[in-house]
């Protein structure tokens, strides 16, 4: 009888898979180290291409919308400042709203984020095209631009917020996410190059008319030159529409590549969460996470500095430096320089750390901004400064999106049972920077109105030129220095990142082991 029981026990053990034996009966060599989750170059490129639509359209709007409203659509400066401020402020508000909606979205066969990207794309390109269309009516023209500008910003937010949060769902490996972020930043800077080149070169081919004496009488304007001016203005409007059509096509192509080439992946420990967390509880936890507040405070000032330069650069080149036909080429020089140096900054932050890259990369713009403020108008020197400034622009592009995943990892360690907060982290970072940029653009355009900006004039009063110089040089310098001071408080250095990486890996392995144990128990019950 005893022998029979032993034989029965042994045969049962032989029938069971090794993975579901008791822990004490398992051979020690069964447990293998978990392989790292590697992303292929194709995966990284498909993910990176998805960042181009936001940058292409954002670059075109950021650099050209102000001068388009003032000199092509002929909106008065006060109304233009309202359009720019309300549009950017609304854009900022939509980020947390979309983040809230995404956090409530269920996982589908396509994922939780990808459906937002798919359904927002066709509507966004229609709204974008209508921003650059000049309606025949004058009454209510400002309302037209405000409506479609806000509509487009809402739709592009429905694309960009889930795309930004996708960083946390393409891989669980910190190094792979950093590598994919570097790919993304390179493509995004290429997107700004495309936006600058397409918008600038197409629009630059048109002869935008200007008035030598904007205060001349109506009878003078209705002379022979008036007909030529009207024809040239129509050609310029058509050039803006052509550029909008080309950029809209790029938007669609990049969105298709992203949708077909990237798949969302859930964290192993996220699937064990019993019920979803409320948005407002998640928001409270996110906004009380110290490293996040310090990071967005620092980048708030540095981003604001570069947005001031971006928003006023076309007017600064046209009227203060006198390079009416060169500003699009100067923009192209900046963006090409930034594209080339993105891989260099990726190597630098890997070798010396992200905080060191912030200090050196962003502060490198200060000497060149001082040079622009002090020098006389010189085209060759301006090109040299533009190329050098692109180096700093590359750092400003790469570093925020490379450091945000580190903050989220730190949050997950401190709140291991709280999940689904990634869209809140990304959307509120974008919210603060966009709202600040809206305030800056509104104030800068109002400043031009108060100093006597003259629509369609070939030259501007000395007060306007001085105001543009301050907006492009001294104000950004002050903001950059304030931002760098705040970065001294940011607590996640390279040592902290390594500690977080090890702790997260242990958490994932524990979650995977727990999941395997549950599966094994089910399999054992089925066999018995």
């Amino acid at each position: 009888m005893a022998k029979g029981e032993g034989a029965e026990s042994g045969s049962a053990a032989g029938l069971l898979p090794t993975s579901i034996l008791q822990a004490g009966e398992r051979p020690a060599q069964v447990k293998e180290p978990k392989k790292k989750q590697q992303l292929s170059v194709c995966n990284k490129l498909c993910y990176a291409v998805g960042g181009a639509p936001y940058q292409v359209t954002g670059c075109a709007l950021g650099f050209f919308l102000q001068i388009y409203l003032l000199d092509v659509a002929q909106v008065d400066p006060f109304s233009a400042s309202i359009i720019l401020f309300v549009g950017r402020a609304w854009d900022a508000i939509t980020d947390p709203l979309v983040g809230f909606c995404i956090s409530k979205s269920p996982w589908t066969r396509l994922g939780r984020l990808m459906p937002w990207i798919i359904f927002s794309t066709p509507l966004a390109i229609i709204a974008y095209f209508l921003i650059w269309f000049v309606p025949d009516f004058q009454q209510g023209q400002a309302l037209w631009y405000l409506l479609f500008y806000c509509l487009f910003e809402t739709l592009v937010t429905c694309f960009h917020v889930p795309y930004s949060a996708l960083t946390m769902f393409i891989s669980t490996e910190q190094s792979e996410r950093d590598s994919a972020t570097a790919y993304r930043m390179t493509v995004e800077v290429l997107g700004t190059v495309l936006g600058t080149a397409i918008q600038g070169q197409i629009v630059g081919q048109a002869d935008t008319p200007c008035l030598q004496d904007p205060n001349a009488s109506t009878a003078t304007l209705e002379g022979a030159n008036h007909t030529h001016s009207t024809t040239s203005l129509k050609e310029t409007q058509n050039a803006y529409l052509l550029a909008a059509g080309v950029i809209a096509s790029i938007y669609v192509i990049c969105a298709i590549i992203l949708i077909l080439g990237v798949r969302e992946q859930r964290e192993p420990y996220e699937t064990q969460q019993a019920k979803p967390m409320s948005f407002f509880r998640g928001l409270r936890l996110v906004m009380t996470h110290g490293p996040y507040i310090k990071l967005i405070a620092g980048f708030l000032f540095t981003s604001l500095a570069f947005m001031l330069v971006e928003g006023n650069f076309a007017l600064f080149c046209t009227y203060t430096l006198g390079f009416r036909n060169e500003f699009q080429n100067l923009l192209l020089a900046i963006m090409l320089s930034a594209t080339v140096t993105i891989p260099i900054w990726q190597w630098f932050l890997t070798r010396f750390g992200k905080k060191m890259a912030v200090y050196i990369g962003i502060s490198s713009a200060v000497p060149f901004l001082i040079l622009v403020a002090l020098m006389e108008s010189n085209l060759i020197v301006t090109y040299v400064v533009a190329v050098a400034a692109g180096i700093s622009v590359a750092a400003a592009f790469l570093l925020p999106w490379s450091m945000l995943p580190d903050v989220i990892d730190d949050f997950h360690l401190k709140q291991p049972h709280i999940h689904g907060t990634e869209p809140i982290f990304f959307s509120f970072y974008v919210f603060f920077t966009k709202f600040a940029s809206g305030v800056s653009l509104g104030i800068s355009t109002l400043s031009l109105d108060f100093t006597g900006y003259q629509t369609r004039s070939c030259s501007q009063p000395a007060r306007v030129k001085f105001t543009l110089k301050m907006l492009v040089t001294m104000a950004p310098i002050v903001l950059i220095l304030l931002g760098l001071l705040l970065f001294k408080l940011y607590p996640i250095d390279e040592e902290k990142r390594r500690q977080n990486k090890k702790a997260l890996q242990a958490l994932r392995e524990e979650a995977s082991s727990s999941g395997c144990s549950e599966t094994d128990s089910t399999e054992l019950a089925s066999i018995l």
Side-chain angles (χ1 to χ4, degrees):
M1 186 71 180
K3 184 178 178 180
E5 289 176 355
E8 183 180 356
S9 175
S11 62
L15 289 172
L16 296 179
T18 307
S19 60
I20 56 173
L21 292 173
Q22 295 294 329
E25 299 175 0
R26 293 179 185 174
Q29 67 270 20
V30 169
K31 187 174 181 181
E32 297 180 358
K34 189 177 179 180
K35 293 182 180 179
K36 286 191 174 183
Q37 188 180 28
Q38 298 288 339
L39 291 174
S40 68
V41 173
C42 182
N43 291 142
K44 293 176 184 178
L45 285 174
C46 290
Y47 165 72
V49 165
Y54 181 78
Q55 295 300 332
V56 172
T57 56
C59 182
L61 290 168
F63 281 120
F64 292 91
L65 184 59
Q66 186 184 50
I67 196 169
Y68 167 80
L69 291 174
L70 293 173
D71 289 354
V72 179
Q74 299 181 31
V75 177
D76 64 273
F78 179 77
S79 298
S81 68
I82 297 298
I83 293 169
L84 294 171
F85 168 70
V86 174
R88 287 294 182 98
W90 173 251
D91 186 20
I93 293 170
T94 57
D95 282 286
L97 290 177
V98 171
F100 169 77
C101 295
I102 291 173
S103 69
K104 295 296 184 182
S105 300
W107 279 86
T108 66
R109 186 171 56 87
L110 298 173
R112 186 171 64 183
L113 306 174
M114 203 61 76
W116 288 82
I117 295 172
I118 294 171
F119 293 114
S120 66
T121 296
L123 299 175
I125 59 173
I126 295 172
Y128 179 78
F129 186 80
L130 292 175
I131 291 174
W132 303 103
F133 176 76
V134 180
D136 292 334
F137 52 85
Q138 291 293 325
Q139 190 73 20
Q141 194 178 63
L143 185 61
W144 168 281
Y145 290 112
L146 180 61
L147 173 64
F148 285 108
Y149 186 32
C150 290
L151 179 60
F152 171 74
E153 294 294 356
T154 302
L155 293 167
V156 82
T157 297
C158 292
F159 181 100
H160 189 62
V161 168
Y163 171 74
S164 299
L166 194 60
T167 306
M168 301 302 298
F169 296 98
I170 57 175
S171 175
T172 58
E173 287 294 326
Q174 190 181 81
S175 59
E176 289 297 299
R177 293 201 303 257
D178 284 346
S179 176
T181 299
Y183 276 79
R184 171 190 167 187
M185 292 301 110
T186 302
V187 172
E188 287 195 356
V189 175
L190 281 172
T192 64
V193 172
L194 274 176
T196 304
I198 293 170
Q199 191 83 10
Q201 298 304 316
I202 293 178
V203 171
Q205 298 302 314
D207 181 21
T208 305
C210 64
L211 303 177
Q212 296 294 340
D213 184 9
N215 296 319
S217 63
T218 304
T220 304
L221 292 177
E222 290 178 351
N225 290 334
H226 179 63
T227 302
H228 172 71
S229 175
T230 303
T231 304
S232 299
L233 183 61
K234 190 64 177 177
E235 291 175 356
T236 304
Q237 293 171 357
N238 291 335
Y240 274 97
L241 282 177
L242 176 60
V246 175
I247 289 175
S249 302
I250 294 173
Y251 193 118
V252 173
I253 293 170
C254 292
I256 291 173
I257 293 173
L258 172 67
I259 293 164
L260 296 179
V262 176
R263 182 186 173 192
E264 291 181 57
Q265 301 177 22
R266 301 181 75 171
E267 285 278 14
Y269 52 82
E270 184 180 353
T271 58
Q272 300 175 12
Q273 188 178 3
K275 60 180 181 179
M277 177 195 55
S278 70
F279 174 81
F280 293 104
R281 184 185 173 213
L283 177 60
R284 180 175 58 82
L285 291 171
V286 167
M287 299 309 295
T288 54
H289 188 56
Y292 180 65
I293 296 300
K294 293 165 186 174
L295 182 70
I296 62 173
F299 277 121
L300 177 65
F301 286 98
T302 56
S303 300
L304 185 54
F306 287 100
M307 288 173 184
L308 265 178
V309 176
E310 178 188 67
N312 296 282
F313 189 79
L315 291 173
F316 174 72
C317 289
T318 301
Y319 296 115
T320 303
L321 297 181
F323 303 141
R324 174 176 289 272
N325 297 320
E326 290 290 336
F327 77 86
Q328 65 268 20
N329 298 323
L330 289 166
L331 288 175
L332 193 57
I334 293 173
M335 295 308 169
L336 285 173
S337 173
T339 304
V340 172
T341 51
I342 281 279
I344 298 174
W345 284 119
Q346 175 63 20
W347 168 84
F348 187 94
L349 67 86
T350 304
R351 178 68 177 82
F352 298 102
K354 297 180 181 180
K355 288 188 73 172
M356 182 63 68
V358 167
Y359 294 136
I360 295 178
I362 295 179
S363 64
S364 64
V366 173
F368 301 106
L369 291 175
I370 293 174
L371 181 60
V372 170
L374 298 178
M375 74 176 186
E376 296 294 329
S377 178
N378 184 297
L379 185 58
I380 295 176
V381 174
T382 305
Y383 269 106
V384 172
V385 170
V387 172
I391 299 172
S392 187
V393 170
F397 262 88
L398 174 64
L399 291 167
W401 301 110
S402 180
M403 296 170 78
L404 265 175
D406 298 337
V407 172
I408 298 174
D409 285 343
D410 186 74
F411 177 84
H412 283 162
L413 281 175
K414 294 177 179 177
Q415 304 285 347
H417 301 294
I418 303 298
H419 306 291
T421 55
E422 291 85 1
I424 301 176
F425 275 101
F426 284 97
S427 63
F428 270 87
Y429 166 72
V430 179
F431 165 78
F432 287 117
T433 55
K434 285 182 178 180
F435 188 81
S437 71
V439 172
S440 69
L441 277 177
I443 291 176
S444 62
T445 310
L446 276 177
S447 301
L448 297 178
D449 188 27
F450 292 148
T451 53
Y453 182 88
Q454 298 172 344
T455 302
R456 292 185 62 196
S457 176
C458 292
S459 62
Q460 298 291 340
R463 299 188 306 277
V464 174
K465 295 179 180 179
F466 178 78
T467 301
L468 286 169
K469 179 174 284 192
M470 292 299 101
L471 290 172
V472 172
T473 57
M474 299 312 298
I477 289 172
V478 172
L479 292 169
I480 286 174
L481 295 177
L482 287 173
L484 293 178
L485 285 174
L486 288 171
F487 273 117
K488 294 289 288 182
L489 305 174
Y490 180 66
I492 302 178
D493 54 15
E494 292 308 296
E495 180 62 29
K496 181 69 172 175
R497 285 182 66 235
R498 284 191 288 269
Q499 293 174 2
N500 287 353
K501 181 180 179 180
K502 291 179 182 178
L504 276 173
Q505 188 62 36
L507 182 65
R508 289 176 182 128
E509 289 177 357
E510 181 183 353
S512 297
S513 299
S514 175
C516 288
S517 298
E518 293 176 3
T519 303
D520 294 347
S521 299
T522 304
E523 185 179 354
L524 177 59
S526 176
I527 291 174
L528 292 176

